[in-house]
Each structure stands twice: as C-alpha cells, then as structure tokens.
Short mmCIF file of all heavy atoms in Angstrom, two decimals:
data_model
loop_
_atom_site.label_atom_id
_atom_site.label_comp_id
_atom_site.label_asym_id
_atom_site.label_seq_id
_atom_site.Cartn_x
_atom_site.Cartn_y
_atom_site.Cartn_z
N MET Q 825 58.04 80.72 5.34
CA MET Q 825 56.88 80.69 6.20
C MET Q 825 57.15 79.73 7.35
O MET Q 825 57.50 78.58 7.15
CB MET Q 825 55.67 80.20 5.40
CG MET Q 825 54.42 80.13 6.20
SD MET Q 825 53.03 79.79 5.11
CE MET Q 825 52.42 78.32 5.84
N LYS Q 826 57.03 80.19 8.54
CA LYS Q 826 57.28 79.38 9.72
C LYS Q 826 55.97 78.78 10.19
O LYS Q 826 54.96 79.47 10.32
CB LYS Q 826 57.90 80.24 10.81
CG LYS Q 826 58.34 79.45 12.01
CD LYS Q 826 59.42 80.19 12.76
CE LYS Q 826 59.71 79.49 14.05
NZ LYS Q 826 60.75 78.53 13.93
N LEU Q 827 56.01 77.46 10.46
CA LEU Q 827 54.82 76.77 10.93
C LEU Q 827 54.69 76.91 12.44
O LEU Q 827 55.68 77.09 13.15
CB LEU Q 827 54.90 75.29 10.57
CG LEU Q 827 54.89 74.96 9.08
CD1 LEU Q 827 55.09 73.47 8.88
CD2 LEU Q 827 53.61 75.40 8.42
N PRO Q 828 53.48 76.81 12.95
CA PRO Q 828 53.29 76.83 14.40
C PRO Q 828 54.02 75.67 15.08
O PRO Q 828 54.34 74.67 14.45
CB PRO Q 828 51.78 76.70 14.58
CG PRO Q 828 51.19 77.07 13.27
CD PRO Q 828 52.21 76.77 12.23
N ALA Q 829 54.26 75.80 16.36
CA ALA Q 829 55.04 74.82 17.11
C ALA Q 829 54.43 73.42 17.05
O ALA Q 829 55.16 72.42 17.06
CB ALA Q 829 55.17 75.28 18.56
N LYS Q 830 53.12 73.30 16.97
CA LYS Q 830 52.50 71.97 16.95
C LYS Q 830 52.78 71.21 15.66
O LYS Q 830 52.58 70.01 15.60
CB LYS Q 830 50.99 72.08 17.20
CG LYS Q 830 50.22 72.75 16.10
CD LYS Q 830 48.76 72.79 16.45
CE LYS Q 830 47.95 73.42 15.32
NZ LYS Q 830 46.54 73.41 15.60
N HIS Q 831 53.28 71.91 14.62
CA HIS Q 831 53.56 71.27 13.34
C HIS Q 831 55.05 71.00 13.13
O HIS Q 831 55.45 70.57 12.05
CB HIS Q 831 53.04 72.13 12.19
CG HIS Q 831 51.56 72.31 12.20
ND1 HIS Q 831 50.68 71.27 12.04
CD2 HIS Q 831 50.81 73.41 12.36
CE1 HIS Q 831 49.44 71.73 12.10
NE2 HIS Q 831 49.49 73.02 12.31
N ASN Q 832 55.88 71.23 14.11
CA ASN Q 832 57.33 71.07 13.93
C ASN Q 832 57.73 69.64 13.61
O ASN Q 832 58.71 69.42 12.91
CB ASN Q 832 58.08 71.54 15.18
CG ASN Q 832 58.18 73.05 15.25
OD1 ASN Q 832 57.95 73.73 14.26
ND2 ASN Q 832 58.52 73.56 16.41
N ASN Q 833 57.02 68.66 14.11
CA ASN Q 833 57.39 67.26 13.90
C ASN Q 833 56.65 66.62 12.72
O ASN Q 833 56.75 65.41 12.53
CB ASN Q 833 57.11 66.46 15.17
CG ASN Q 833 57.98 66.91 16.32
OD1 ASN Q 833 59.11 67.33 16.10
ND2 ASN Q 833 57.45 66.84 17.53
N TYR Q 834 55.96 67.41 11.93
CA TYR Q 834 55.20 66.87 10.80
C TYR Q 834 56.15 66.40 9.70
O TYR Q 834 57.10 67.08 9.33
CB TYR Q 834 54.26 67.93 10.22
CG TYR Q 834 53.58 67.48 8.96
CD1 TYR Q 834 52.55 66.56 9.00
CD2 TYR Q 834 54.00 67.97 7.72
CE1 TYR Q 834 51.93 66.13 7.84
CE2 TYR Q 834 53.39 67.55 6.56
CZ TYR Q 834 52.36 66.63 6.63
OH TYR Q 834 51.75 66.20 5.48
N VAL Q 835 55.89 65.20 9.18
CA VAL Q 835 56.62 64.66 8.04
C VAL Q 835 55.58 64.20 7.03
O VAL Q 835 54.69 63.43 7.36
CB VAL Q 835 57.53 63.49 8.47
CG1 VAL Q 835 58.27 62.93 7.28
CG2 VAL Q 835 58.49 63.91 9.56
N SER Q 836 55.70 64.67 5.80
CA SER Q 836 54.69 64.34 4.80
C SER Q 836 54.77 62.88 4.38
O SER Q 836 55.78 62.19 4.60
CB SER Q 836 54.88 65.22 3.56
OG SER Q 836 56.03 64.84 2.85
N ASP Q 837 53.71 62.39 3.76
CA ASP Q 837 53.66 61.02 3.28
C ASP Q 837 54.73 60.77 2.22
O ASP Q 837 55.33 59.70 2.17
CB ASP Q 837 52.29 60.70 2.69
CG ASP Q 837 51.19 60.67 3.74
OD1 ASP Q 837 51.53 60.49 4.93
OD2 ASP Q 837 50.01 60.80 3.38
N HIS Q 838 54.98 61.78 1.40
CA HIS Q 838 55.99 61.64 0.35
C HIS Q 838 57.39 61.49 0.95
O HIS Q 838 58.18 60.66 0.50
CB HIS Q 838 55.95 62.84 -0.59
CG HIS Q 838 54.66 62.96 -1.31
ND1 HIS Q 838 54.31 62.14 -2.35
CD2 HIS Q 838 53.62 63.81 -1.13
CE1 HIS Q 838 53.10 62.47 -2.79
NE2 HIS Q 838 52.67 63.48 -2.07
N THR Q 839 57.68 62.28 1.97
CA THR Q 839 58.98 62.18 2.64
C THR Q 839 59.15 60.83 3.30
O THR Q 839 60.23 60.22 3.23
CB THR Q 839 59.12 63.30 3.68
OG1 THR Q 839 58.93 64.56 3.02
CG2 THR Q 839 60.48 63.29 4.33
N LEU Q 840 58.10 60.33 3.92
CA LEU Q 840 58.16 59.00 4.53
C LEU Q 840 58.39 57.91 3.48
O LEU Q 840 59.17 56.97 3.69
CB LEU Q 840 56.88 58.71 5.32
CG LEU Q 840 56.67 59.53 6.59
CD1 LEU Q 840 55.28 59.26 7.17
CD2 LEU Q 840 57.75 59.22 7.60
N PHE Q 841 57.70 58.04 2.35
CA PHE Q 841 57.85 57.06 1.28
C PHE Q 841 59.28 57.03 0.76
O PHE Q 841 59.87 55.95 0.59
CB PHE Q 841 56.87 57.37 0.14
CG PHE Q 841 57.10 56.54 -1.08
CD1 PHE Q 841 56.71 55.21 -1.10
CD2 PHE Q 841 57.71 57.08 -2.19
CE1 PHE Q 841 56.93 54.43 -2.23
CE2 PHE Q 841 57.94 56.30 -3.31
CZ PHE Q 841 57.55 54.97 -3.34
N ILE Q 842 59.86 58.19 0.50
CA ILE Q 842 61.23 58.27 -0.01
C ILE Q 842 62.21 57.71 1.01
O ILE Q 842 63.15 56.97 0.66
CB ILE Q 842 61.60 59.71 -0.39
CG1 ILE Q 842 60.72 60.21 -1.54
CG2 ILE Q 842 63.07 59.84 -0.75
CD1 ILE Q 842 60.90 59.46 -2.83
N ALA Q 843 62.04 58.04 2.28
CA ALA Q 843 62.92 57.52 3.34
C ALA Q 843 62.83 56.00 3.42
O ALA Q 843 63.86 55.32 3.54
CB ALA Q 843 62.57 58.15 4.67
N GLU Q 844 61.62 55.46 3.30
CA GLU Q 844 61.43 54.01 3.35
C GLU Q 844 62.05 53.35 2.12
O GLU Q 844 62.70 52.30 2.22
CB GLU Q 844 59.94 53.69 3.41
CG GLU Q 844 59.61 52.23 3.51
CD GLU Q 844 58.11 51.99 3.53
OE1 GLU Q 844 57.37 52.85 4.06
OE2 GLU Q 844 57.69 50.94 3.02
N LEU Q 845 61.89 53.95 0.97
CA LEU Q 845 62.46 53.42 -0.27
C LEU Q 845 63.99 53.40 -0.20
O LEU Q 845 64.62 52.41 -0.58
CB LEU Q 845 62.00 54.27 -1.45
CG LEU Q 845 62.36 53.79 -2.84
CD1 LEU Q 845 61.68 52.45 -3.12
CD2 LEU Q 845 61.94 54.82 -3.87
N LYS Q 846 64.59 54.47 0.32
CA LYS Q 846 66.05 54.52 0.46
C LYS Q 846 66.54 53.51 1.49
O LYS Q 846 67.62 52.95 1.34
CB LYS Q 846 66.50 55.93 0.85
CG LYS Q 846 66.42 56.91 -0.30
CD LYS Q 846 66.94 58.27 0.12
CE LYS Q 846 66.89 59.25 -1.01
NZ LYS Q 846 67.41 60.56 -0.62
N ALA Q 847 65.74 53.25 2.52
CA ALA Q 847 66.13 52.26 3.54
C ALA Q 847 66.10 50.84 2.95
O ALA Q 847 66.95 50.02 3.27
CB ALA Q 847 65.21 52.35 4.74
N LYS Q 848 65.13 50.57 2.08
CA LYS Q 848 65.02 49.24 1.46
C LYS Q 848 66.11 49.02 0.42
O LYS Q 848 66.56 47.90 0.23
CB LYS Q 848 63.65 49.08 0.80
CG LYS Q 848 62.52 48.88 1.76
CD LYS Q 848 61.22 48.69 1.00
CE LYS Q 848 60.04 48.55 1.94
NZ LYS Q 848 58.77 48.45 1.21
N ASN Q 849 66.49 50.09 -0.29
CA ASN Q 849 67.48 49.99 -1.37
C ASN Q 849 68.65 50.93 -1.08
O ASN Q 849 68.69 52.03 -1.61
CB ASN Q 849 66.84 50.38 -2.71
CG ASN Q 849 65.64 49.55 -3.03
OD1 ASN Q 849 65.65 48.35 -2.87
ND2 ASN Q 849 64.57 50.19 -3.49
N PRO Q 850 69.60 50.52 -0.28
CA PRO Q 850 70.69 51.42 0.10
C PRO Q 850 71.57 51.87 -1.06
O PRO Q 850 72.14 52.95 -1.02
CB PRO Q 850 71.50 50.62 1.12
CG PRO Q 850 70.90 49.29 1.23
CD PRO Q 850 69.69 49.23 0.37
N GLY Q 851 71.65 51.09 -2.13
CA GLY Q 851 72.49 51.46 -3.27
C GLY Q 851 71.78 52.31 -4.30
O GLY Q 851 72.37 52.65 -5.33
N MET Q 852 70.53 52.66 -4.05
CA MET Q 852 69.75 53.39 -5.04
C MET Q 852 70.34 54.77 -5.33
O MET Q 852 70.44 55.18 -6.49
CB MET Q 852 68.30 53.55 -4.56
CG MET Q 852 67.41 54.25 -5.56
SD MET Q 852 65.70 54.37 -5.04
CE MET Q 852 65.83 55.52 -3.71
N GLU Q 853 70.76 55.48 -4.31
CA GLU Q 853 71.28 56.83 -4.50
C GLU Q 853 72.59 56.80 -5.30
O GLU Q 853 72.80 57.64 -6.17
CB GLU Q 853 71.50 57.51 -3.15
CG GLU Q 853 71.29 58.99 -3.21
CD GLU Q 853 71.15 59.61 -1.83
OE1 GLU Q 853 70.55 58.99 -0.95
OE2 GLU Q 853 71.66 60.71 -1.66
N ALA Q 854 73.44 55.82 -5.04
CA ALA Q 854 74.68 55.68 -5.80
C ALA Q 854 74.37 55.37 -7.27
O ALA Q 854 75.03 55.89 -8.17
CB ALA Q 854 75.55 54.59 -5.20
N GLY Q 855 73.35 54.56 -7.51
CA GLY Q 855 72.94 54.26 -8.87
C GLY Q 855 72.40 55.48 -9.59
O GLY Q 855 72.66 55.68 -10.78
N GLN Q 856 71.66 56.31 -8.88
CA GLN Q 856 71.14 57.55 -9.47
C GLN Q 856 72.29 58.47 -9.84
O GLN Q 856 72.29 59.09 -10.91
CB GLN Q 856 70.21 58.25 -8.50
CG GLN Q 856 68.88 57.57 -8.32
CD GLN Q 856 68.02 58.26 -7.26
OE1 GLN Q 856 68.53 58.82 -6.30
NE2 GLN Q 856 66.72 58.21 -7.46
N GLN Q 857 73.29 58.58 -8.96
CA GLN Q 857 74.42 59.45 -9.24
C GLN Q 857 75.24 58.92 -10.41
O GLN Q 857 75.72 59.70 -11.24
CB GLN Q 857 75.29 59.60 -7.99
CG GLN Q 857 74.61 60.41 -6.91
CD GLN Q 857 75.39 60.45 -5.61
OE1 GLN Q 857 76.41 59.79 -5.47
NE2 GLN Q 857 74.89 61.21 -4.66
N ALA Q 858 75.38 57.62 -10.51
CA ALA Q 858 76.11 57.03 -11.64
C ALA Q 858 75.36 57.28 -12.95
O ALA Q 858 75.97 57.60 -13.97
CB ALA Q 858 76.30 55.54 -11.42
N GLY Q 859 74.04 57.15 -12.93
CA GLY Q 859 73.24 57.43 -14.11
C GLY Q 859 73.31 58.88 -14.52
O GLY Q 859 73.41 59.21 -15.71
N ARG Q 860 73.30 59.77 -13.55
CA ARG Q 860 73.41 61.19 -13.86
C ARG Q 860 74.77 61.49 -14.47
O ARG Q 860 74.88 62.24 -15.44
CB ARG Q 860 73.23 62.03 -12.59
CG ARG Q 860 73.43 63.51 -12.86
CD ARG Q 860 73.58 64.31 -11.59
NE ARG Q 860 74.14 65.59 -11.90
CZ ARG Q 860 73.50 66.74 -11.77
NH1 ARG Q 860 72.29 66.75 -11.30
NH2 ARG Q 860 74.08 67.87 -12.10
N ALA Q 861 75.83 60.91 -13.91
CA ALA Q 861 77.17 61.13 -14.45
C ALA Q 861 77.28 60.62 -15.87
O ALA Q 861 77.93 61.23 -16.71
CB ALA Q 861 78.21 60.45 -13.56
N LEU Q 862 76.61 59.50 -16.16
CA LEU Q 862 76.66 58.91 -17.49
C LEU Q 862 75.97 59.79 -18.52
O LEU Q 862 76.46 59.97 -19.63
CB LEU Q 862 76.01 57.53 -17.45
CG LEU Q 862 75.96 56.75 -18.76
CD1 LEU Q 862 77.37 56.37 -19.18
CD2 LEU Q 862 75.11 55.51 -18.59
N LEU Q 863 74.82 60.37 -18.15
CA LEU Q 863 74.01 61.10 -19.12
C LEU Q 863 74.21 62.61 -19.12
O LEU Q 863 74.10 63.25 -20.16
CB LEU Q 863 72.53 60.80 -18.88
CG LEU Q 863 72.12 59.35 -19.08
CD1 LEU Q 863 70.67 59.16 -18.68
CD2 LEU Q 863 72.33 58.93 -20.51
N TRP Q 864 74.48 63.21 -17.97
CA TRP Q 864 74.44 64.66 -17.88
C TRP Q 864 75.76 65.33 -17.53
O TRP Q 864 76.05 66.41 -18.02
CB TRP Q 864 73.40 65.09 -16.83
CG TRP Q 864 72.03 64.68 -17.23
CD1 TRP Q 864 71.32 63.64 -16.74
CD2 TRP Q 864 71.21 65.27 -18.24
NE1 TRP Q 864 70.11 63.53 -17.37
CE2 TRP Q 864 70.01 64.54 -18.29
CE3 TRP Q 864 71.37 66.34 -19.11
CZ2 TRP Q 864 68.99 64.84 -19.18
CZ3 TRP Q 864 70.34 66.64 -19.97
CH2 TRP Q 864 69.17 65.90 -20.00
N ASP Q 865 76.55 64.75 -16.65
CA ASP Q 865 77.76 65.40 -16.19
C ASP Q 865 78.89 65.18 -17.19
O ASP Q 865 79.65 64.22 -17.11
CB ASP Q 865 78.16 64.87 -14.81
CG ASP Q 865 77.12 65.19 -13.76
OD1 ASP Q 865 76.34 66.12 -13.97
OD2 ASP Q 865 77.08 64.49 -12.73
N LYS Q 866 79.00 66.05 -18.17
CA LYS Q 866 80.00 65.94 -19.21
C LYS Q 866 81.12 66.95 -18.95
O LYS Q 866 80.88 68.03 -18.42
CB LYS Q 866 79.39 66.25 -20.59
CG LYS Q 866 78.18 65.40 -20.94
CD LYS Q 866 78.59 64.00 -21.27
CE LYS Q 866 77.37 63.20 -21.67
NZ LYS Q 866 77.59 61.84 -21.88
N PRO Q 867 82.34 66.61 -19.34
CA PRO Q 867 83.43 67.57 -19.18
C PRO Q 867 83.23 68.75 -20.14
O PRO Q 867 82.60 68.60 -21.19
CB PRO Q 867 84.67 66.77 -19.54
CG PRO Q 867 84.19 65.65 -20.38
CD PRO Q 867 82.80 65.35 -19.91
N PRO Q 868 83.75 69.91 -19.80
CA PRO Q 868 83.59 71.06 -20.69
C PRO Q 868 84.29 70.83 -22.03
O PRO Q 868 85.31 70.14 -22.10
CB PRO Q 868 84.24 72.21 -19.92
CG PRO Q 868 84.95 71.61 -18.79
CD PRO Q 868 84.47 70.23 -18.59
N VAL Q 869 83.72 71.39 -23.09
CA VAL Q 869 84.26 71.24 -24.44
C VAL Q 869 84.96 72.53 -24.81
O VAL Q 869 84.42 73.63 -24.62
CB VAL Q 869 83.13 70.92 -25.44
CG1 VAL Q 869 83.67 70.77 -26.85
CG2 VAL Q 869 82.39 69.67 -25.03
N SER Q 870 86.16 72.41 -25.37
CA SER Q 870 86.92 73.61 -25.74
C SER Q 870 86.24 74.34 -26.90
O SER Q 870 85.44 73.77 -27.65
CB SER Q 870 88.35 73.22 -26.14
OG SER Q 870 88.32 72.52 -27.37
N MET Q 871 86.60 75.59 -27.08
CA MET Q 871 86.01 76.40 -28.16
C MET Q 871 86.40 75.84 -29.53
O MET Q 871 85.60 75.83 -30.45
CB MET Q 871 86.47 77.85 -28.03
CG MET Q 871 85.98 78.55 -26.78
SD MET Q 871 84.18 78.68 -26.72
CE MET Q 871 83.91 80.00 -27.86
N ASP Q 872 87.62 75.34 -29.67
CA ASP Q 872 88.05 74.75 -30.94
C ASP Q 872 87.22 73.51 -31.27
O ASP Q 872 86.82 73.30 -32.41
CB ASP Q 872 89.53 74.38 -30.88
CG ASP Q 872 90.43 75.60 -30.77
OD1 ASP Q 872 90.02 76.68 -31.23
OD2 ASP Q 872 91.54 75.45 -30.22
N GLU Q 873 86.97 72.69 -30.26
CA GLU Q 873 86.18 71.48 -30.47
C GLU Q 873 84.73 71.84 -30.82
O GLU Q 873 84.11 71.22 -31.68
CB GLU Q 873 86.22 70.60 -29.22
CG GLU Q 873 85.42 69.32 -29.31
CD GLU Q 873 85.93 68.35 -30.36
OE1 GLU Q 873 87.10 68.47 -30.79
OE2 GLU Q 873 85.16 67.45 -30.75
N GLN Q 874 84.18 72.87 -30.18
CA GLN Q 874 82.82 73.31 -30.50
C GLN Q 874 82.74 73.80 -31.95
O GLN Q 874 81.80 73.46 -32.67
CB GLN Q 874 82.39 74.44 -29.56
CG GLN Q 874 82.08 74.00 -28.16
CD GLN Q 874 81.66 75.17 -27.28
OE1 GLN Q 874 81.30 76.24 -27.76
NE2 GLN Q 874 81.72 74.96 -25.98
N GLU Q 875 83.73 74.56 -32.36
CA GLU Q 875 83.77 75.07 -33.74
C GLU Q 875 83.88 73.91 -34.73
O GLU Q 875 83.22 73.91 -35.77
CB GLU Q 875 84.95 76.03 -33.92
CG GLU Q 875 85.03 76.66 -35.27
CD GLU Q 875 83.83 77.53 -35.60
OE1 GLU Q 875 83.31 78.19 -34.68
OE2 GLU Q 875 83.42 77.56 -36.78
N ARG Q 876 84.70 72.90 -34.42
CA ARG Q 876 84.85 71.75 -35.30
C ARG Q 876 83.54 70.98 -35.42
O ARG Q 876 83.13 70.57 -36.51
CB ARG Q 876 85.94 70.82 -34.78
CG ARG Q 876 86.28 69.67 -35.73
CD ARG Q 876 87.13 68.61 -35.08
NE ARG Q 876 86.42 67.89 -34.03
CZ ARG Q 876 85.49 66.96 -34.24
NH1 ARG Q 876 85.11 66.67 -35.46
NH2 ARG Q 876 84.92 66.34 -33.23
N GLN Q 877 82.84 70.82 -34.30
CA GLN Q 877 81.56 70.10 -34.32
C GLN Q 877 80.52 70.86 -35.13
O GLN Q 877 79.76 70.26 -35.89
CB GLN Q 877 81.07 69.86 -32.90
CG GLN Q 877 81.87 68.82 -32.15
CD GLN Q 877 81.42 68.67 -30.70
OE1 GLN Q 877 80.58 69.42 -30.22
NE2 GLN Q 877 82.00 67.71 -30.00
N LEU Q 878 80.47 72.19 -34.96
CA LEU Q 878 79.50 72.98 -35.71
C LEU Q 878 79.79 72.97 -37.21
O LEU Q 878 78.88 72.90 -38.03
CB LEU Q 878 79.49 74.42 -35.19
CG LEU Q 878 78.82 74.62 -33.84
CD1 LEU Q 878 79.00 76.06 -33.36
CD2 LEU Q 878 77.35 74.29 -33.91
N SER Q 879 81.06 73.05 -37.58
CA SER Q 879 81.40 73.08 -39.00
C SER Q 879 81.19 71.72 -39.67
O SER Q 879 80.96 71.67 -40.88
CB SER Q 879 82.84 73.55 -39.19
OG SER Q 879 83.73 72.61 -38.64
N SER Q 880 81.27 70.64 -38.92
CA SER Q 880 81.10 69.32 -39.52
C SER Q 880 79.66 68.82 -39.48
O SER Q 880 79.37 67.73 -39.98
CB SER Q 880 82.01 68.31 -38.82
OG SER Q 880 81.59 68.14 -37.48
N ALA Q 881 78.74 69.61 -38.91
CA ALA Q 881 77.34 69.19 -38.82
C ALA Q 881 76.69 69.25 -40.21
O ALA Q 881 76.96 70.15 -41.01
CB ALA Q 881 76.58 70.07 -37.85
N ILE Q 882 75.84 68.28 -40.50
CA ILE Q 882 75.11 68.24 -41.77
C ILE Q 882 73.85 69.08 -41.62
O ILE Q 882 73.11 68.94 -40.65
CB ILE Q 882 74.76 66.79 -42.14
CG1 ILE Q 882 76.04 65.99 -42.34
CG2 ILE Q 882 73.88 66.75 -43.38
CD1 ILE Q 882 75.81 64.52 -42.54
N LYS Q 883 73.60 69.94 -42.58
CA LYS Q 883 72.42 70.80 -42.53
C LYS Q 883 71.16 69.96 -42.75
O LYS Q 883 71.11 69.09 -43.61
CB LYS Q 883 72.50 71.89 -43.60
CG LYS Q 883 73.71 72.78 -43.49
CD LYS Q 883 73.61 73.68 -42.30
CE LYS Q 883 74.77 74.65 -42.29
NZ LYS Q 883 75.55 74.63 -41.11
N GLN Q 884 70.13 70.22 -41.96
CA GLN Q 884 68.88 69.49 -42.05
C GLN Q 884 67.86 70.38 -42.74
O GLN Q 884 67.83 71.60 -42.52
CB GLN Q 884 68.39 69.13 -40.65
CG GLN Q 884 67.18 68.26 -40.64
CD GLN Q 884 66.81 67.84 -39.22
OE1 GLN Q 884 67.39 68.30 -38.26
NE2 GLN Q 884 65.83 66.96 -39.11
N GLN Q 885 67.04 69.78 -43.58
CA GLN Q 885 66.02 70.57 -44.25
C GLN Q 885 64.96 71.03 -43.25
O GLN Q 885 64.82 70.48 -42.17
CB GLN Q 885 65.39 69.78 -45.38
CG GLN Q 885 64.71 68.50 -44.96
CD GLN Q 885 64.23 67.71 -46.16
OE1 GLN Q 885 64.47 68.08 -47.30
NE2 GLN Q 885 63.54 66.61 -45.91
N ALA Q 886 64.23 72.07 -43.62
CA ALA Q 886 63.30 72.70 -42.70
C ALA Q 886 62.21 71.75 -42.24
O ALA Q 886 61.89 71.70 -41.06
CB ALA Q 886 62.67 73.93 -43.36
N TYR Q 887 61.63 71.01 -43.15
CA TYR Q 887 60.59 70.04 -42.77
C TYR Q 887 61.13 68.65 -43.09
O TYR Q 887 61.31 68.26 -44.22
CB TYR Q 887 59.30 70.30 -43.54
CG TYR Q 887 58.16 69.40 -43.12
CD1 TYR Q 887 57.60 69.51 -41.86
CD2 TYR Q 887 57.67 68.42 -43.96
CE1 TYR Q 887 56.58 68.69 -41.44
CE2 TYR Q 887 56.65 67.58 -43.56
CZ TYR Q 887 56.10 67.72 -42.30
OH TYR Q 887 55.10 66.89 -41.89
N VAL Q 888 61.40 67.89 -42.05
CA VAL Q 888 62.13 66.63 -42.17
C VAL Q 888 61.38 65.61 -43.02
O VAL Q 888 62.00 64.87 -43.78
CB VAL Q 888 62.40 66.03 -40.77
CG1 VAL Q 888 63.18 64.75 -40.87
CG2 VAL Q 888 63.12 67.05 -39.92
N TYR Q 889 60.07 65.56 -42.96
CA TYR Q 889 59.30 64.52 -43.61
C TYR Q 889 58.93 64.85 -45.05
O TYR Q 889 58.28 64.08 -45.71
CB TYR Q 889 58.04 64.20 -42.80
CG TYR Q 889 58.39 63.76 -41.40
CD1 TYR Q 889 58.17 64.58 -40.31
CD2 TYR Q 889 58.96 62.51 -41.17
CE1 TYR Q 889 58.52 64.18 -39.03
CE2 TYR Q 889 59.32 62.11 -39.91
CZ TYR Q 889 59.08 62.94 -38.85
OH TYR Q 889 59.43 62.55 -37.58
N GLN Q 890 59.35 65.99 -45.54
CA GLN Q 890 59.03 66.39 -46.91
C GLN Q 890 60.03 65.73 -47.86
O GLN Q 890 61.24 65.72 -47.62
CB GLN Q 890 59.11 67.90 -47.06
CG GLN Q 890 58.76 68.40 -48.43
CD GLN Q 890 58.80 69.91 -48.50
OE1 GLN Q 890 59.11 70.56 -47.52
NE2 GLN Q 890 58.49 70.46 -49.66
N ASN Q 891 59.51 65.17 -48.97
CA ASN Q 891 60.39 64.56 -49.97
C ASN Q 891 61.10 65.65 -50.75
O ASN Q 891 60.56 66.73 -51.00
CB ASN Q 891 59.58 63.71 -50.95
CG ASN Q 891 59.00 62.50 -50.27
OD1 ASN Q 891 59.54 62.02 -49.27
ND2 ASN Q 891 57.89 61.99 -50.80
N LYS Q 892 62.33 65.34 -51.16
CA LYS Q 892 63.06 66.27 -52.02
C LYS Q 892 62.66 66.00 -53.47
O LYS Q 892 62.90 64.93 -54.00
CB LYS Q 892 64.56 66.08 -51.85
CG LYS Q 892 65.05 66.49 -50.48
CD LYS Q 892 66.56 66.32 -50.39
CE LYS Q 892 67.06 66.73 -49.05
NZ LYS Q 892 68.50 66.58 -48.90
N ASN Q 893 62.03 66.98 -54.10
CA ASN Q 893 61.59 66.83 -55.50
C ASN Q 893 62.35 67.76 -56.37
O ASN Q 893 62.73 68.80 -56.12
CB ASN Q 893 60.10 67.06 -55.65
CG ASN Q 893 59.29 65.94 -54.97
OD1 ASN Q 893 59.76 64.82 -54.89
ND2 ASN Q 893 58.11 66.25 -54.53
#
C-alpha cells in the first residue's frame, strides 16, 4: 500500500524509540547477535548423531506428575 506524498516523511514513535535506543547503546546490536548465536544458531547435526541422540533418550511417562505404583 503506497501512502500519499504528504506521509512520505512519517516516522512512527516506535521507530524513533528504537533509533534513539540504538544511538544510546551502540553495542546493543552486537550483544543481541551474540546472544542469538549462543542460543539459536547451532551447527547442523549429522544423521548418525541424530540417531544416536534418539536411541539414547530416556522414555518419559505419559503424565509426569503421576506416581509409579
């Protein structure tokens, strides 16, 4: 959707807030990327390693909080 010409220079409050936050904390984006790499960006796992992990997993009972009687 294209906005009319009078709205071309509009910047939302959220965009201004993020730009101001990044200006105050220049290392914030690098920290976010490092955190993402730590938690999410994992190297691919080979099929043999996946099979080994699946075969070594301990089976969990259907309802975890139920006592075994």
Side-chain angles (χ1 to χ4, degrees):
M825 180 171 123
K826 186 156 172 91
L827 295 175
K830 67 180 182 177
H831 297 296
N832 282 345
N833 296 328
Y834 173 75
V835 180
S836 72
D837 292 339
H838 298 285
T839 304
L840 291 173
F841 172 75
I842 296 296
E844 182 181 328
L845 187 64
K846 286 183 179 181
K848 286 181 183 177
N849 304 315
M852 183 177 69
E853 212 165 323
Q856 288 176 329
Q857 290 174 355
R860 176 194 164 114
L862 180 67
L863 296 174
W864 296 104
D865 297 338
K866 305 287 183 186
V869 179
S870 70
M871 295 297 284
D872 293 334
E873 179 65 19
Q874 287 180 17
E875 183 63 35
R876 187 192 68 75
Q877 288 176 355
L878 287 174
S879 65
S880 65
I882 298 173
K883 301 289 186 236
Q884 186 176 7
Q885 60 186 4
Y887 184 67
V888 182
Y889 301 107
Q890 182 178 2
N891 293 333
K892 292 182 180 180
N893 292 331

